Amino acid sequence: MWRGLYAGLLIALLPLCSHAQDDPLSLRLSLQVQDEPLEAVLIRLMRQEGVLLSFSPNILPARRITVELENSSLKRILDVLLKDTGLAYERIGAQVVLFRAKPEKYTLSGYVVDAQSGERLISATVYDEASGKGAVTNAYGFFSLTLPAGRLELVIRYLGYQTQRRELVLDRARHLQCALQPALVLREIEVVAAQSPALAYPLPVDELKENLWQQLPRLGGERDVLRTAYFMPGVQTGADGIGGLHVRGGDRGQNLILLDGVPVYDVAHAGGLISLFTDEIVKKATLIKGAFPARYGGRLSSVLDIRTREGSLKKWEGMAGLSMLTSQLAMGGPLVKEKVSVFASARWSHLGMYLRPYSRNKKREEGGQGALDYDFFDLHLKLNYLISDKHRIYLSLYRGRDRFSNVDEKRDTLLAGQNPDQRKLLFGQNLQERNEWGNTLGVLRWNFLVSPRLFSNFSLTYSRLDVLSDYFRGEQLTDLGDSEVLDEFGEFRTARSLVQDFSLKTDWDWVASPVHHLRFGGGATHHTFDPGLWWGFANNGTQPEPWESNAQALQAAEWWMYAEDEFQLGSRWSFNLGLRYAGWQIRSEAFHVLEPRVAAAFQVANPLQVRASLSRMSQFVHLLSNSEVGLPTDLWVPATAKTGLQASWQTTLGLDLKTRNGWMGRTEAYYKLLQPLLALSEGAQVRTNWEENITRGSGRAWGIEWELGRRKGPLEGWVSYGLSFTNRTFERVNFGRPYPLRYDRRHDIKAALTYAPKNWITFSCSWMMNSGLAFNLPTQQFAVDYPGLPDPDPIFIFGDKNEFRMPWYHRLDAGVTLRFGQKKPLKHNLYLGVYNLYNRRNPLYIQLQEQLAVSAGELEVRREFQQVFLFPVLPSLSYAIRI
Amino acid sequence: MFPFRYISLGILLLILNSCEEPFDPQLYEEEAQLVVLSNFSPNSPIEVYVSVSQSVVEQNPTAYLSHAEVDVLHGDTLLISLAPAAKMDGERVVPYYTHPSFVPEEGRVYTLRVRAEGYAPVYASSYIPQQVALDSINLENLATETPEASSDEEETQIYTYDIKLRFLDPAGEKNYYHLNVYQQIKKEIPQGDTTLSDLLTYKIFFSPVLNTNHITVNHDGGILLEDTPFDGTYAHLSFPVRFVLNLGQGEELGDLLVEFRSVSREYFLFHASLSKQKEQGENPLQEPVLVYDNIQNGYGIFAGFNTSKDSLLIGN
């Protein structure tokens, strides 16, 4: 208490103390002052009324007093005079000593919301310039900031919104709702480093919902958060997005992709060209490539956390959009104003509308019949019920489905042999394919603000991926002379698979102080895997021989707990230390894993910080695939006693630079050891007993990434370069020898530029160039050609696995976004662009094709290499109208 | 919507018309190399076929070499130089290399060296594993089914059964096996007023659904086995068989012949990987299956095996 007292300038008025008594605070006085400094008023009290006051003038604020108090106690008078000054007093003997009160700490908590819709904003910063402390809102827009009592100068910021400044006196625990106005220029998807203003932040993430990225050119006019992720350094995919997400040497099945906290097992439409995350529903998308916080687990390579919009609590809004690939409608608004909101969106493709007539004509031109058809849809519904400031309930539902079919019937007439024995043959081919797959997701969530510093969240979630695939191929060679069937072949297949999860989980945020944040939680999931597969085959007129795989439905239980402590030591060091425990039970086997997570940052100088991290990750569900691009028929299977789990260690070391004038730089080196890893044994087909066809091995990935960009002003840009290496070693792949991963792209350059001279127009272009995919091509052949053996088939020599490299992938896209009527009720948004501007033919794959031909009267097979690519130069167009 | 559709349609037509073009594989071309094929056992003189590989786009018949130098070594010691010989395969003369007095021995590692002008010399090593005899073999769950046929000539009978075998896997080493099953068929062939009888032998082909890490259904019949699940102990194995007998064409069941080979690692890997490559089909999006070879500087296989044989009669 005495620490606040300045000893030097003690004023004591002893001879004038005519009113000294036992309790000077009960002394009754009158005071009338008009606009006088506080110090003068106190001196007047001492001189005129004989009060014994002791204080240092240095602690007095520059406040002017106007007061009129009649016959009031000294206590009452001092309370009035010292109100909101941060000063306190205490009687010591006959004296009353004034001192700087040891500041009480109070918690300022609340939500940051969109002023127009009332939707909560994730990762907004609430920063007190007076104390230099700040907080970042969590996934539900909540923040908590415990500070000494006194006047706060708050700055509330969120990308794409106008910065808000507020002053308030923190004299008690307070709840604050900060409503930010959207900036005039529409915000779009982007990626930047998110940082707490007060902390050197040890967990770098890529935010995928920002201006720069949302303005970038789009394939078919379709804006897509997953395609934005492909633009991040360290993220690889195949040509034009076919092949899925591969992060820092990871596999497609090693990404934890969450939609409102629910794991999604297949995020691709059209083989990966488009994701199921309609841009209109995405509120926030975050990609984590390393330094994984303990609250995330279950996959080895990355976390893509997507949060969806809730719908406005204040007014109804709607949107209708049309791109070359899809149409969509979205609508949201208050069911009960300021209490209950709803948001619904629907998107459906119109690819089939083009594909059916086109493919029918093309097949007819080639002498066949049939048609190709493909379409998909996405439906999303979110309800948000604000029960009170402390309680909130969300219900989020998603359903999407893809349907693909192909019917192809061909008949060719061939002449075989020489005259006069020449025969006329009819070669008939019949192909019928039907594939359907889709995700169903649901989450019921309850947010409960236990106290201003303690935020809790309870979720009940459901996730399901089901796949159905039918296939029939038949071939028949008939002699047209006598109608004799010379050769006949038929193959049919039905495959279906299902993975389904029910989860219950809870997550808690405790904000101990602005520099100390504790998160903890746990949960459990019941998994069902039903990789039921059938296969059938018939040949040369024999009875169809049914083959049935012995895959059985399996149930598994998964549970986890975690604790994560984020804190600052001194003014330069910050840490995020976490530990995650996960368990898995299947049949009678159980697995237990402990995953330490450590991340640290050191603020070298104001704009510059160094970061390092170490993460252990485990995975109990595995994606089995023997395709190069990822097909819906790939199989999700559980870890069993026979297969074991997958695990990885990743360490990173990075440097961040962020200047006030908008320049941002980042470099990060990483080393990842994936061990054990699982894969299908070479040549194994997923239709057979998957558990007996898995091989264990390991992988390594290492590299370094550089990024530099500017995010301020009308001209924004960004460039990145990644150098990476990744390989795999499996006992039963490539005969146990190490080989490069298909997505081992050594060099990876990506650049983006946007220019918005006016609010209504933005020009954009992007360019990427990376090393070709590792792959195999047959080069030589021979035959096991012994006398006595039937006609030998050729054996193709592929070399070592992934020994060759495809040509470099590069592509330039450009576009312009026009916005009209932004201040009117009807807002129009038109996008015009060109994808692959200089018509680079980037191969999706290269294949050896065989064609039957007649040469000198004899049937022969001709072979040639074909490069298959998806998109030449492609104009893109989309239009959206909003109310 | 309507005009928009046609703008997009035009663009999609452009895409779909342009999505395939010939690719010049010059970057990836490799020189032709020697191909050496030889499976050897202690039951007969070693035979080595030497030819030359060709580009995958070519369709030429196998180019055998009849003037190569083919030596068999044990370590660095030359055991024998094989002499050129030839066999008739229809109208085709197939050269190979052999020596009537050189029969390889069980357990001994042989190195093959082949030299031919214009090609790098190639080397390969293998051995003949010890013979493993079947302890027992029998059939279980025999069932027959007679599907409806549209005419007497098309009448068939489907036999399904499990073939069960038991043998002792030698301990302390990695062992590989090749089980071949042959079904003999007696066929009555009417010739005027006479009926001739013929005895035909068919190889049994198993379903690829049986494939696991340790079992591979061989593309050319039979099953390849790896001893990991029963290493050093008695193996009890059972495999389902399905066989269609053409009753309408006068077929009758004969003996079931079983050949049980203990094979070298090279033999197993070559045949197992080859079977998987053939089984994979033509999906260009599937990861290719690489075929094992143990020929340094060339392609092919030089692999030893050992054999024991048995026979059964269905129904007995």
Side-chain angles (χ1 to χ4, degrees):
Chain A
M1 182 176 295
W2 292 92
R3 279 176 302 185
L5 188 64
Y6 287 85
L9 290 172
L10 180 69
I11 296 174
L13 296 176
L14 298 173
L16 302 175
C17 296
S18 55
H19 297 292
Q21 53 183 297
D22 286 347
D23 184 1
L25 289 173
S26 60
L27 184 68
R28 302 200 78 77
L29 305 167
S30 293
L31 181 67
Q32 290 180 341
V33 291
Q34 187 69 34
D35 195 26
E36 290 183 28
L38 176 60
E39 184 181 355
V41 176
L42 293 173
I43 290 172
R44 183 202 286 193
L45 274 175
M46 292 188 286
R47 287 187 173 158
Q48 293 180 3
E49 306 294 341
V51 176
L52 281 174
L53 291 177
S54 177
F55 63 93
S56 163
N58 286 348
I59 68 171
L60 299 182
R63 171 183 288 192
R64 300 189 75 83
I65 306 291
T66 298
V67 71
E68 187 174 333
L69 293 165
E70 291 290 334
N71 194 27
S72 300
S73 67
L74 179 61
K75 180 176 186 308
R76 161 82 177 132
I77 291 170
L78 288 175
D79 283 345
V80 171
L81 295 177
L82 302 180
K83 188 181 177 189
D84 294 340
T85 61
L87 298 178
Y89 57 86
E90 189 166 324
R91 193 196 102 194
I92 300 178
Q95 286 189 43
V96 176
V97 179
L98 273 58
F99 53 91
R100 218 175 244 155
K102 180 184 178 184
E104 286 290 329
K105 285 190 172 178
Y106 297 109
T107 300
L108 174 70
S109 62
Y111 297 91
V112 179
V113 301
D114 180 308
Q116 291 182 2
S117 68
E119 284 196 60
R120 292 177 174 178
L121 302 177
I122 305 168
S123 299
T125 59
V126 180
Y127 181 61
D128 175 33
E129 287 190 332
S131 63
K133 308 288 186 191
V136 179
T137 57
N138 70 7
Y140 308 98
F142 173 76
F143 72 93
S144 175
L145 194 55
T146 301
L147 294 170
R151 187 168 299 277
L152 305 185
E153 296 167 24
L154 295 178
V155 183
I156 302 115
R157 287 194 181 94
Y158 190 65
L159 283 160
Y161 284 74
Q162 294 172 19
T163 298
Q164 189 179 94
R165 291 181 170 274
R166 293 176 75 157
E167 288 194 7
L168 62 87
V169 175
L170 187 65
D171 52 358
R172 61 186 186 280
R174 298 189 67 161
H175 186 84
L176 186 69
Q177 178 115 326
C178 307
L180 298 186
Q181 289 289 346
L184 283 178
V185 176
L186 288 180
R187 65 195 177 86
E188 317 225 2
I189 294 183
E190 66 181 302
V191 177
V192 291
Q195 290 191 343
S196 157
L199 287 174
Y201 195 62
L203 300 173
V205 296
D206 289 324
E207 299 288 352
L208 305 180
K209 190 85 181 171
E210 281 187 353
N211 272 327
L212 176 64
W213 304 117
Q214 286 228 310
Q215 302 292 353
L216 286 187
R218 317 160 193 172
L219 172 62
E222 195 77 17
R223 194 187 288 150
D224 195 298
V225 69
L226 197 60
R227 296 191 71 84
T228 303
Y230 296 152
F231 228 79
M232 301 299 103
V235 178
Q236 304 295 349
T237 186
D240 302 304
I242 300 287
L245 186 68
H246 298 260
V247 179
R248 289 184 173 171
D251 292 326
R252 193 163 47 89
Q254 294 172 354
N255 307 303
L256 178 65
I257 300 179
L258 300 167
L259 187 70
D260 281 334
V262 187
V264 188
Y265 283 97
D266 183 14
V267 297
H269 288 308
L273 291 180
I274 307 170
S275 77
L276 54 82
F277 307 116
T278 313
D279 179 64
E280 198 59 26
I281 72 167
V282 177
K283 180 163 82 172
K284 179 86 175 171
T286 308
L287 178 68
I288 305 174
K289 300 180 292 190
F292 298 101
R295 59 186 178 274
Y296 296 112
R299 301 289 189 278
L300 302 189
S301 290
S302 79
V303 177
L304 179 57
D305 191 354
I306 292 171
R307 301 282 163 169
T308 62
R309 291 179 59 188
E310 298 148 14
S312 173
L313 283 162
K314 297 186 174 178
K315 62 174 186 178
W316 282 93
E317 297 169 329
M319 173 266 182
L322 191 62
S323 76
M324 284 173 52
L325 307 176
T326 68
S327 302
Q328 54 180 306
L329 286 173
M331 181 163 274
L335 291 177
V336 178
K337 209 162 185 178
E338 305 287 357
K339 210 69 178 160
V340 182
S341 69
V342 64
F343 183 82
S345 81
R347 176 175 67 169
W348 60 98
S349 72
H350 29 81
L351 294 169
M353 200 164 62
Y354 316 129
L355 283 175
R356 283 189 300 273
Y358 174 74
S359 60
R360 199 174 289 128
N361 286 340
K362 194 167 172 69
K363 285 173 194 281
R364 202 173 291 144
E365 282 169 17
E366 291 170 355
Q369 283 186 321
L372 194 75
D373 197 5
Y374 171 74
D375 271 312
F376 66 83
F377 69 82
D378 300 288
L379 299 173
H380 180 253
L381 176 74
K382 193 161 184 181
L383 282 167
N384 161 37
Y385 177 27
L386 185 62
I387 301 167
S388 70
D389 278 348
K390 290 191 169 184
H391 298 276
R392 191 164 185 143
I393 288 177
Y394 298 94
L395 176 68
S396 179
L397 302 170
Y398 167 85
R399 168 81 171 154
R401 197 135 193 98
D402 294 60
R403 289 194 180 92
F404 167 82
S405 67
N406 183 22
V407 175
D408 196 0
E409 291 174 9
K410 270 186 189 165
R411 290 176 193 281
D412 287 327
T413 306
L414 308 165
L415 293 174
Q418 304 284 347
N419 278 325
D421 299 326
Q422 194 172 61
R423 293 189 299 171
K424 204 172 181 183
L425 306 177
L426 180 67
F427 180 61
Q429 290 175 298
N430 185 1
L431 174 73
Q432 293 179 27
E433 290 178 271
R434 181 173 69 101
N435 289 288
E436 279 191 40
W437 65 97
N439 291 278
T440 308
L441 311 170
V443 57
L444 181 63
R445 174 170 293 123
W446 170 36
N447 286 174
F448 173 33
L449 184 58
V450 182
S451 79
R453 294 191 198 182
L454 187 61
F455 183 90
S456 66
N457 181 57
F458 300 86
S459 306
L460 180 65
T461 71
Y462 175 75
S463 178
R464 172 191 169 105
L465 169 68
D466 61 281
V467 178
L468 177 68
S469 174
D470 281 330
Y471 174 90
F472 170 77
R473 183 168 70 100
E475 288 178 0
Q476 197 176 54
L477 190 65
T478 310
D479 188 333
L480 286 175
D482 55 9
S483 299
E484 183 189 356
V485 175
L486 303 175
D487 198 9
E488 194 177 37
F489 169 83
E491 182 185 14
F492 66 90
R493 178 180 69 214
T494 296
R496 68 171 174 83
S497 73
L498 166 80
V499 53
Q500 178 174 273
D501 295 350
F502 283 102
S503 292
L504 188 61
K505 61 179 181 175
T506 181
D507 302 281
W508 295 71
D509 282 10
W510 181 50
V511 186
S513 77
V515 293
H516 189 192
H517 193 169
L518 195 68
R519 296 182 184 91
F520 52 94
T525 298
H526 177 266
H527 296 272
T528 302
F529 299 87
D530 189 4
L533 301 164
W534 291 270
W535 175 263
F537 183 80
N539 198 11
N540 285 335
T542 58
Q543 293 296 316
E545 183 181 349
W547 297 347
E548 187 173 333
S549 69
N550 53 0
Q552 295 174 337
L554 289 170
Q555 316 283 328
E558 183 181 8
W559 58 95
W560 66 92
M561 288 187 291
Y562 69 87
E564 186 186 322
D565 194 2
E566 192 169 301
F567 58 94
Q568 191 170 8
L569 279 183
S571 60
R572 288 173 178 254
W573 284 97
S574 66
F575 296 88
N576 185 300
L577 306 180
L579 187 65
R580 184 181 179 91
Y581 158 76
W584 177 263
Q585 168 97 36
I586 189 162
R587 298 181 182 126
S588 57
E589 295 291 330
F591 299 86
H592 303 274
V593 292
L594 270 180
E595 300 172 359
R597 315 280 175 85
V598 181
F602 177 69
Q603 198 86 34
V604 181
N606 189 26
L608 187 68
Q609 73 169 19
V610 180
R611 284 180 284 97
S613 75
L614 179 69
S615 302
R616 172 73 165 169
M617 305 292 277
S618 305
Q619 183 162 343
F620 297 117
V621 293
H622 317 306
L623 181 61
L624 300 182
S625 173
N626 57 10
S627 82
E628 293 179 338
V629 297
L631 298 171
T633 45
D634 295 345
L635 211 59
W636 282 97
V637 297
T640 66
K642 280 185 181 168
T643 66
L645 48 76
Q646 298 186 97
S648 72
W649 283 101
Q650 184 178 187
T651 184
T652 64
L653 178 65
L655 197 66
D656 276 343
L657 176 75
K658 193 175 181 183
T659 67
R660 286 183 182 277
N661 56 1
W663 283 96
M664 296 169 62
R666 188 200 286 184
T667 180
E668 187 162 274
Y670 64 91
Y671 178 83
K672 182 155 54 174
L673 176 66
L674 302 125
Q675 189 174 30
L677 273 188
L678 299 176
L680 272 180
S681 301
E682 189 164 321
Q685 304 291 322
V686 288
R687 67 171 185 268
T688 53
N689 182 353
W690 61 268
E691 221 174 336
E692 299 289 350
N693 283 281
I694 281 180
T695 179
R696 286 166 74 87
S698 62
R700 287 193 308 152
W702 65 100
I704 185 163
E705 297 154 8
W706 287 274
E707 298 171 64
L708 180 67
R710 188 163 190 242
R711 305 287 174 78
K712 201 170 185 179
L715 183 66
E716 293 185 311
W718 176 85
V719 62
S720 75
Y721 168 71
L723 173 70
S724 62
F725 302 80
T726 180
N727 64 28
R728 294 285 189 272
T729 308
F730 289 103
E731 184 191 350
R732 294 178 187 278
V733 178
N734 200 33
F735 308 106
R737 298 188 292 264
Y739 63 91
L741 192 68
R742 178 175 170 80
Y743 295 91
D744 175 36
R745 296 189 189 269
R746 186 74 63 248
H747 305 282
D748 182 22
I749 306 165
K750 291 160 180 166
L753 199 65
T754 65
Y755 177 54
K758 303 285 180 191
N759 279 342
W760 59 273
I761 187 166
T762 304
F763 298 95
S764 62
C765 71
S766 63
W767 182 72
M768 64 163 63
M769 178 171 185
N770 39 49
S771 309
L773 297 169
F775 81 120
N776 282 104
L777 202 62
T779 52
Q780 292 279 298
Q781 61 171 325
F782 67 92
V784 180
D785 193 5
Y786 291 156
L789 289 179
D791 288 343
D793 288 332
I795 297 172
F796 293 122
I797 305 298
F798 289 93
D800 253 19
K801 188 168 179 66
N802 293 342
E803 183 177 318
F804 301 125
R805 295 281 169 168
M806 281 193 188
W808 282 69
Y809 182 96
H810 53 96
R811 196 187 79 225
L812 176 68
D813 308 329
V816 58
T817 307
L818 303 164
R819 290 174 287 273
F820 307 111
Q822 293 307 302
K823 292 181 180 174
K824 295 180 180 173
L826 278 182
K827 302 171 181 62
H828 305 267
N829 194 319
L830 178 67
Y831 170 80
L832 300 166
V834 183
Y835 184 86
N836 195 7
L837 191 64
Y838 53 76
N839 196 23
R840 166 73 177 175
R841 300 192 167 189
N842 292 300
L844 175 64
Y845 60 90
I846 297 165
Q847 64 172 334
L848 184 64
Q849 271 194 348
E850 290 190 349
Q851 285 181 331
L852 275 180
V854 176
S855 175
E858 294 295 329
L859 269 180
E860 69 172 34
V861 176
R862 285 186 186 156
R863 297 197 196 118
E864 66 172 1
F865 284 101
Q866 292 280 338
Q867 167 181 285
V868 177
F869 62 96
L870 276 180
F871 297 116
V873 57
L874 174 65
S876 300
L877 174 67
S878 69
Y879 169 73
I881 186 168
R882 292 169 196 277
I883 52 169
Chain B
M1 182 83 177
F2 194 72
F4 194 85
R5 169 181 171 176
Y6 284 97
I7 293 167
S8 304
L9 178 58
I11 292 162
L12 276 168
L13 289 175
L14 183 67
I15 296 166
L16 295 167
N17 271 325
S18 319
C19 65
E20 210 172 81
E21 64 183 11
F23 177 78
D24 180 4
Q26 204 173 359
L27 275 176
Y28 311 112
E29 271 178 6
E30 289 188 350
E31 293 282 314
Q33 296 191 11
L34 290 179
V35 176
V36 175
L37 298 170
S38 177
N39 286 335
F40 58 96
S41 72
N43 306 322
S44 56
I46 196 164
E47 292 182 357
V48 178
Y49 295 84
V50 180
S51 59
V52 176
S53 67
Q54 57 179 306
S55 162
V56 288
V57 294
E58 290 172 0
Q59 299 280 302
N60 302 320
T62 303
Y64 291 101
L65 295 184
S66 54
H67 301 292
E69 293 175 39
V70 180
D71 302 320
V72 180
L73 301 91
H74 177 63
D76 292 333
T77 310
L78 177 65
L79 297 179
I80 197 158
S81 291
L82 303 183
K87 282 183 184 174
M88 291 305 292
D89 182 32
E91 295 178 358
R92 184 175 64 145
V93 178
V94 178
Y96 69 105
Y97 300 84
T98 188
H99 197 287
S101 65
F102 182 72
V103 178
E105 298 167 14
E106 181 182 304
R108 198 168 188 196
V109 176
Y110 295 100
T111 299
L112 187 72
R113 179 177 64 200
V114 180
R115 291 174 287 191
E117 196 178 338
Y119 300 95
V122 303
Y123 298 86
S125 295
S126 189
Y127 66 100
I128 296 173
Q130 73 176 91
Q131 190 181 60
V132 175
L134 291 172
D135 241 31
S136 69
I137 181 162
N138 55 347
L139 306 185
E140 284 189 354
N141 305 323
L142 177 65
T144 58
E145 180 192 348
T146 308
E148 278 186 29
S150 54
S151 67
D152 288 349
E153 282 188 349
E154 292 180 3
E155 192 181 345
T156 59
Q157 189 158 41
I158 299 169
Y159 285 81
T160 56
Y161 55 86
D162 295 330
I163 182 162
K164 298 193 74 168
L165 49 138
R166 179 179 184 267
F167 62 91
L168 178 62
D169 177 64
E173 57 187 306
K174 189 87 178 161
N175 299 300
Y176 304 89
Y177 304 97
H178 185 179
L179 171 73
N180 275 314
V181 183
Y182 302 88
Q183 179 65 61
Q184 287 188 328
I185 300 291
K186 292 176 201 159
K187 194 165 185 177
E188 303 284 315
I189 306 168
Q191 291 278 325
D193 55 357
T194 316
T195 299
L196 301 177
S197 184
D198 199 1
L199 188 64
L200 305 172
T201 303
Y202 292 97
K203 233 178 199 177
I204 297 289
F205 288 81
F206 293 85
S207 163
V209 172
L210 296 174
N211 280 349
T212 69
N213 281 337
H214 314 297
I215 297 171
T216 303
V217 170
N218 189 34
H219 73 101
D220 193 28
I223 285 181
L224 298 155
L225 303 167
E226 192 186 306
D227 73 350
T228 308
F230 47 82
D231 186 22
T233 63
Y234 275 101
H236 299 263
L237 301 170
S238 174
F239 301 106
V241 173
R242 187 172 185 276
F243 187 80
V244 181
L245 193 68
N246 293 306
L247 297 177
Q249 293 174 22
E251 291 184 352
E252 283 179 35
L253 278 184
D255 281 358
L256 194 70
L257 307 177
V258 176
E259 181 200 23
F260 191 61
R261 294 180 174 183
S262 44
V263 302
S264 59
R265 177 175 177 272
E266 297 80 35
Y267 181 108
F268 175 85
L269 288 176
F270 175 76
H271 286 89
S273 58
L274 176 58
S275 300
K276 286 176 178 169
Q277 186 182 84
K278 289 186 178 304
E279 207 254 323
Q280 187 171 40
E282 295 168 1
N283 185 345
L285 299 179
Q286 283 201 321
E287 294 273 358
V289 180
L290 314 183
V291 173
Y292 176 85
D293 76 58
N294 67 337
I295 311 293
Q296 285 179 48
N297 304 325
Y299 307 123
I301 188 69
F302 174 66
F305 68 95
N306 219 332
T307 291
S308 70
K309 291 182 179 170
D310 218 328
S311 70
L312 285 169
L313 188 64
I314 290 184
N316 287 351

